[in-house]
Amino acid sequence: MNGILLLRIAVAVILLTHSVFGIFDNGINNFANLYLNQIGFAPFGVFLAWSIKLSHIVAALFLILNKYVKLAGFVTIFIFVMGIILVHFKDGWFVVGGGRNGVEYNFLLICVLLAIMYPNGLQKKI
């Protein structure tokens, strides 16, 4: 197993667990109604929350299958950046320890997705 395969599987597991549990514990609807709609996304909060979580599931499948990896990465990175801006930035850097609910986890996932998308780096092709 090479390192990129391991990272693809790890990110897929994270995306799936973060999404699937929200389907069954009403977390997606709660996020939509109790957060997104309250910060100005009403009446589209539920649609937006479900779109985000379903995109995570699709991205996880693409990562596992090693298909459309860059598309999955770009969409997911966009969602993570918006999560940083809308949810986590106000809480600072640390997820735990020096703070709570900060941006460090999203930052790491963005970096891992970039490594998966560009395993040889951003090289200029001649």
Side-chain angles (χ1 to χ4, degrees), residues 4-18:
I4 297 299
L5 173 61
L6 180 61
L7 290 176
R8 285 194 346 256
I9 292 170
V11 172
V13 167
I14 289 168
L15 291 173
L16 286 172
T17 55
H18 194 68

Side-chain angles (χ1 to χ4, degrees), residues 16-47:
L16 286 172
T17 55
H18 194 68
S19 300
V20 172
F21 287 112
I23 292 171
F24 297 107
D25 72 357
N26 206 37
I28 298 171
N29 289 330
N30 286 342
F31 177 65
N33 292 313
L34 302 176
Y35 184 74
L36 290 176
N37 284 340
Q38 303 304 314
I39 65 166
F41 288 98
F44 304 107
V46 172
F47 172 79

Side-chain angles (χ1 to χ4, degrees), residues 66-77:
N66 200 25
K67 302 288 184 191
Y68 308 108
V69 170
K70 285 185 181 172
L71 174 64
F74 285 128
V75 170
T76 305
I77 287 170

Side-chain angles (χ1 to χ4, degrees), residues 51-126:
S51 296
I52 291 166
K53 293 308 174 180
L54 291 175
S55 79
H56 285 348
I57 293 169
V58 171
L61 295 175
F62 285 164
L63 289 171
I64 290 167
L65 297 172
N66 200 25
K67 302 288 184 191
Y68 308 108
V69 170
K70 285 185 181 172
L71 174 64
F74 285 128
V75 170
T76 305
I77 287 170
F78 174 76
I79 291 168
F80 287 160
V81 168
M82 294 309 297
I84 287 171
I85 292 167
L86 295 174
V87 178
H88 300 288
F89 187 77
K90 66 180 173 28
D91 294 313
W93 177 259
F94 297 102
V95 173
V96 296
R100 185 188 166 294
N101 203 32
V103 303
E104 68 179 328
Y105 187 62
N106 282 31
F107 175 79
L108 177 61
L109 287 171
I110 290 167
C111 291
V112 170
L113 282 167
L114 288 170
I116 291 168
M117 294 163 61
Y118 300 100
N120 299 315
L122 294 173
Q123 300 176 3
K124 185 176 180 180
K125 294 183 182 179
I126 301 175

